[in-house]
Amino acid sequence: MKAPVHVAVTGAAGQIGYSLLARIASGQLLGPDQPVVLRLIEIEPAMQALEGVVMELQDCAFPLLNDIVPTYDLNEGFNKASWALLVGSVPRKAGMERKDLLGINGKIFTSQSKAIQDNAASDIRTLVVGNPCNTNCLIAMNNAPDIPHDRWFAMTRLDENRAKTQLAIKAGVEVTSVKKLAIWGNHSATMYPNYFDATIDGKAIPEVITDEAWFKKDFIPTVQQRGAAIIKARGLSSAASAANAAIDTVKSIITPTPSDDYFSVAVHSKGEYGIEPGLIYSYPMQSDGQNLSIIEGLDVNAFSQEKIKATEAELSEEKSMVSDLLP
Ligand code: NAX
């Protein structure tokens, strides 16, 4: 039996947590032969709700679930963690400016990242889901200088999955036929689902979907506004699909990427494709199972260039709004 891997999850009593934890405990995150210890981090007022979540996890009798550690103590929460999934954050309330939200959540991520640096396992990797996830990740990364920059990720996979499904529906194919669809930039309404490099059953997109106007009129806005559409329909923000995207992200990071595909995750930019170095920017990525690299050398046409710069500008602005939290 392998030694258990400790997985820390913040916001564990929230909606996404509820969809995520049983999937991790059943082996869907790290594999069917990898035991896990779940370290569940919440704020103190949510500990009672978290206790209920713990009871349900116990009642599943998952063979791979070695132990559960519910806590509001960050040092205990991140102790020995090899993966930290930072899901918890404060939602935007009426009357709250974007800058206020960035400031409130930013402070959460400074203290969490210090606790990660002080307590986590030496192979710690962190995926930020809580919004605004790119900038929260930027803050966390900069406040844990001992952890290499390539261990920090922010989630744009839900947007990729949404985009792939829209293309599959339009083309009348299975979603598995759609490959090489990457989200560029910020996880926000400025994100850019770059369909120009995508393939459907190995063919270039324009060979399969000839309705060119559809991409700009329907596809991009549908993907960009999908989160809002779900809130309108469900009265709650997306949770099962967000949890699924977190699982997909980790699996893609730790599994070699097939040569005919890539995936989206926001990473520390070193200036690839002319993006401001230092931002947490979503790119097309590939993994060799250990290390990730940005897919370089893709043609970026004038339309895409405008889009990838617009989402970069938003990230630069967010960065300037939290400059007091960046050492
Ligand atoms: P919920 O409000 O259901 O749950 C959030 C949980 O976080 C609560 O239980 C709360 O007590 C906890 N929390 C708050 N501050 C905390 C802290 N300092 N430490 C630990 N826990 C804390 O939200 P949920 O629907 O689960 O969404 C969680 C986050 O994911 C939100 O920020 C949301 O905007 C973000 N999302 C990100 C997505 C992405 O693609 N990157 C998509 C889905 C989702 O919108």
Side-chain angles (χ1 to χ4, degrees):
M1 199 66 167
K2 291 180 174 175
V5 171
H6 292 240
V7 180
V9 181
T10 69
Q15 286 202 90
I16 295 176
Y18 195 75
S19 290
L20 181 61
L21 300 177
R23 295 191 60 183
I24 300 173
S26 65
Q28 293 181 48
L29 188 80
L30 299 176
D33 62 347
Q34 178 57 63
V36 291
V37 172
L38 279 176
R39 312 190 74 89
L40 307 181
I41 303 168
E42 261 295 347
I43 48 175
E44 202 175 346
M47 287 307 286
Q48 193 187 330
L50 183 59
E51 199 46 51
V53 174
V54 170
M55 286 191 263
E56 284 209 60
L57 287 166
Q58 290 169 333
D59 294 351
C60 291
F62 288 118
L64 291 171
L65 184 54
N66 208 274
D67 196 8
I68 311 171
V69 183
T71 184
Y72 58 88
D73 178 314
L74 294 179
N75 293 324
E76 185 186 25
F78 292 113
N79 189 30
K80 298 189 214 157
S82 290
W83 275 99
L85 308 181
L86 306 186
V87 180
S89 68
V90 175
R92 190 165 175 171
K93 300 193 182 86
M96 204 188 260
E97 297 289 329
R98 191 148 141 257
K99 187 174 187 342
D100 301 332
L101 184 71
L102 282 161
I104 291 168
N105 280 319
K107 288 198 193 76
I108 294 177
F109 287 84
T110 54
S111 46
Q112 289 183 353
S113 81
K114 287 193 182 95
I116 291 172
Q117 178 166 278
D118 291 347
N119 298 282
S122 59
D123 63 350
I124 178 69
R125 283 184 278 192
T126 300
L127 173 66
V128 181
V129 176
N131 280 321
C133 65
N134 297 55
T135 297
N136 288 339
C137 183
L138 177 86
I139 293 166
M141 182 186 78
N142 279 287
N143 281 280
D146 297 348
I147 300 176
H149 285 354
D150 62 5
R151 309 279 193 81
W152 297 91
F153 308 97
M155 188 170 96
T156 53
R157 181 57 166 269
L158 177 54
D159 311 305
E160 174 188 320
N161 288 347
R162 287 167 170 168
K164 280 182 161 167
T165 297
Q166 292 304 314
L167 291 176
I169 292 170
K170 178 74 178 169
V173 297
E174 299 289 325
V175 73
T176 48
S177 299
V178 184
K179 304 218 189 290
K180 296 192 173 177
L181 186 290
I183 302 298
W184 293 64
N186 200 3
H187 169 69
S188 76
T190 68
M191 80 186 74
Y192 176 49
N194 186 357
Y195 55 90
F196 287 99
D197 295 310
T199 60
I200 294 183
D201 289 324
K203 295 192 198 107
I205 283 273
E207 286 177 42
V208 186
I209 301 175
T210 48
D211 177 4
E212 213 187 299
W214 173 80
F215 290 103
K216 289 169 192 162
K217 209 163 50 62
D218 294 308
F219 171 69
I220 295 177
T222 298
V223 176
Q224 289 177 334
Q225 300 301 332
R226 187 71 162 182
I230 286 168
I231 293 175
K232 195 164 165 228
R234 206 172 88 88
L236 286 167
S237 57
S238 36
S241 55
N244 177 67
I247 303 251
D248 281 352
T249 306
V250 171
K251 276 168 43 184
S252 290
I253 290 171
I254 62 176
T255 311
T257 310
S259 59
D260 63 347
D261 208 358
Y262 43 64
F263 65 96
S264 319
V265 65
V267 296
H268 173 246
S269 169
K270 295 194 207 64
E272 293 87 349
Y273 292 96
I275 300 303
E276 177 185 328
L279 294 179
I280 299 290
Y281 192 94
S282 181
Y283 285 106
M285 303 293 300
Q286 64 189 352
S287 172
D288 65 7
Q290 302 287 331
N291 298 302
L292 291 196
S293 53
I294 294 170
I295 306 277
E296 299 208 59
L298 297 174
D299 273 340
V300 178
N301 63 24
F303 178 79
S304 296
Q305 184 65 21
E306 196 184 300
K307 297 285 180 198
I308 72 173
K309 291 311 256 184
T311 188
E312 176 199 24
E314 185 182 51
L315 283 169
S316 297
E317 191 197 349
E318 287 185 13
K319 184 181 174 189
S320 66
M321 286 178 182
V322 298
S323 55
D324 55 326
L325 300 175
L326 302 174

